Amino acid sequence: MNKLKQPKLTLVGAGPGDPDLITLKGVRALQTADVVLYDALVHPDLLQHAPESAERVFVGKRPWQPTGPANRCEFAQTDINHLIVQYAHSHGHVVRLKGGDPFVFGRGFEELVFAEDCGVETAVVPGLSSSYSVPALAGIPLTCRGVSESFWVLTGTTKDHRLSADIRAAVQSTATLVILMGMKHLPEIVALLSDAGREKVPMAIIQNGSRADERMAMAPASAILGAVEGHKLTNPAIIVIGEVVRLHSEWPLAGITVSDAAVEALALISR
């Protein structure tokens, strides 16, 4: 055990991808790190904030990409939990750098509890969640007066790799829906919208949100699968469903009219 340094874990949210979107407190935590355990969605530039002496350990999960020798592997969560504790006791301050916010579908709380149970001091630095920051940066508000008064954030895939049952209830709502980790189940999501009579509801798929290589497709639910195929969109991507998508500057698409609610909302905004 390192007798000079108190074992400590700091969970840091790295934000949606753009390295400038990490918080100042997150940068300060990195600057005092002895070890950085980072995920696949973390921009590599963020690692430069850590001291040269700090160890940098990739522990990412990217099941949609083939396993390879360089930065492409999949760690079991239990392995990550144990690595955090081992490095904290052997090195001192461990910064666990996670994409988005560590407490929004990031399993950060599991890591926090495990570390505390093992006698490690803990701290949390929240990050910008991709659930709301990516649509905003792409020009889509999640709420807008006269269009949407609430939004749901859902995971598209449960721990057993199935579509979340919550989505079946969510598609009945007029709220904006933001689905993370749902691309694998996009055909099922579209089918649920169709069953609910919402084939015309606008959808947006945003890949690599906030990054230089961001790409997006927009279409009604009935046409979104074709749009995704045409744009060759894959994970990591965020699914946005709701009338707010019509407020994007590039909507309406050919042959698709803006809803009365959206027209009214735009008129209110322009006053």
Side-chain angles (χ1 to χ4, degrees):
M1 177 187 294
N2 188 328
K3 297 181 180 180
L4 299 178
K5 294 185 177 181
Q6 176 72 23
K8 181 179 180 179
L9 163 67
T10 303
L11 287 171
V12 176
D18 181 342
D20 289 338
L21 293 177
I22 191 173
T23 65
L24 180 58
K25 192 167 186 177
V27 170
R28 288 173 175 164
L30 283 167
Q31 290 172 339
T32 63
D34 297 303
V35 180
V36 181
L37 303 183
Y38 65 99
D39 282 348
L41 296 180
V42 169
H43 197 289
D45 286 359
L46 292 177
L47 300 177
Q48 298 175 11
H49 293 298
E52 290 186 9
S53 59
E55 289 195 32
R56 293 154 173 80
V57 183
F58 177 79
V59 291
K61 305 186 189 77
R62 269 195 158 167
W64 59 86
Q65 294 190 357
T67 300
N71 268 20
R72 291 295 179 266
C73 55
E74 181 167 0
F75 283 79
Q77 187 61 51
T78 53
D79 293 337
I80 296 174
N81 294 346
H82 285 287
L83 280 175
I84 289 171
V85 172
Q86 290 171 10
Y87 275 115
H89 283 293
S90 63
H91 289 66
H93 184 201
V94 173
V95 169
R96 177 72 171 98
L97 192 59
K98 303 171 75 73
D101 182 280
F103 279 15
V104 180
F105 300 124
R107 304 188 71 170
F109 187 69
E110 297 176 41
E111 297 173 0
L112 187 84
V113 170
F114 187 87
E116 289 178 345
D117 287 346
C118 293
V120 176
E121 177 187 348
T122 63
V124 178
V125 180
L128 282 174
S129 171
S130 59
S131 62
Y132 54 80
S133 59
V134 165
L137 290 167
I140 300 173
L142 296 188
T143 62
C144 184
R145 185 170 42 157
V147 180
S148 174
E149 59 190 34
S150 62
F151 64 92
W152 296 30
V153 179
L154 308 105
T155 179
T157 305
T158 62
K159 64 181 181 180
D160 58 359
H161 308 293
R162 297 182 180 180
L163 181 68
S164 171
D166 288 344
I167 294 177
R168 299 180 185 276
V171 297
Q172 305 291 332
S173 171
T174 58
T176 303
L177 307 184
V178 181
I179 302 176
L180 310 181
M181 300 173 286
M183 288 296 284
K184 183 175 76 170
H185 297 292
L186 186 58
E188 295 174 71
I189 294 169
V190 171
L192 288 175
L193 288 166
S194 179
D195 291 344
R198 305 189 67 198
E199 301 93 338
K200 296 181 180 180
V201 67
M203 294 182 64
I205 310 293
I206 309 168
Q207 179 181 337
N208 294 325
S210 83
R211 299 176 65 120
D213 56 348
E214 175 180 309
R215 293 190 295 162
M216 180 170 68
M218 294 183 295
S222 59
I224 195 64
L225 294 178
V228 166
E229 183 177 356
H231 286 79
K232 294 181 170 57
L233 300 184
T234 60
N235 273 312
I238 289 175
I239 302 169
V240 184
I241 305 170
E243 291 298 320
V244 291
V245 176
R246 297 186 194 271
L247 301 178
H248 190 277
S249 60
E250 294 183 8
W251 194 285
L253 306 175
I256 302 172
T257 58
V258 180
S259 67
D260 292 341
V263 171
E264 181 180 353
L266 290 170
L268 288 170
I269 295 167
S270 64
R271 289 177 186 174

